[in-house]
Amino acid sequence: MTITALHNQSLLDLALQHIGTIESVFELAGANVLNITDDVVAGNTLILPTEAFTNKDILAYYTAKNLQPATAFSKEDEQVFERLEGISIWAINLDFVVSKE
């Protein structure tokens, strides 16, 4: 069976959503010749491993609630996160405008 990755989904998200366990990320990565830390591109199809242990309760919950976790941290997210902000960084009349009002 194949699955399609959504925007900002990691292998951990896909393992939880489609297999029901975080531990199955190793089988999912191996079946798709990936490392568990590799970025997954949205729209890519991945093979679900048949030998992975499935937690049927978690899988049923995710299926019933139509949950699609997407917790991957993209390069764009990293740039926003690392952008320095605050009064100690701002320059007067450049970022921090002084007005007489």
Side-chain angles (χ1 to χ4, degrees):
M1 179 177 174
T2 61
I3 57 173
T4 303
L6 301 175
H7 179 66
N8 275 359
Q9 281 193 316
S10 67
L11 283 177
L12 290 171
D13 296 328
L14 292 166
L16 192 57
Q17 178 184 348
H18 294 286
I19 303 171
T21 67
I22 293 295
E23 295 85 2
S24 62
V25 72
F26 297 104
E27 288 86 5
L28 181 60
N32 291 282
V33 192
L34 296 170
N35 294 314
I36 62 169
T37 57
D38 285 347
D39 290 331
V40 180
V41 178
N44 278 7
T45 55
L46 302 170
I47 299 168
L48 278 179
T50 55
E51 69 279 354
F53 170 75
T54 303
N55 186 323
K56 293 181 180 168
D57 292 334
I58 293 174
L59 188 57
Y61 179 80
Y62 272 68
T63 303
K65 302 280 185 181
N66 195 27
L67 298 177
Q68 300 172 329
T71 61
F73 198 68
S74 69
K75 292 292 181 190
E76 292 172 352
D77 297 331
E78 188 176 339
Q79 288 174 348
V80 169
F81 182 72
E82 289 181 349
R83 194 174 98 201
L84 299 175
E85 278 291 336
I87 200 158
S88 63
I89 303 300
W90 296 334
I92 293 180
N93 287 329
L94 182 61
D95 303 295
F96 184 78
V97 179
V98 179
S99 66
K100 293 182 181 183
E101 294 179 33

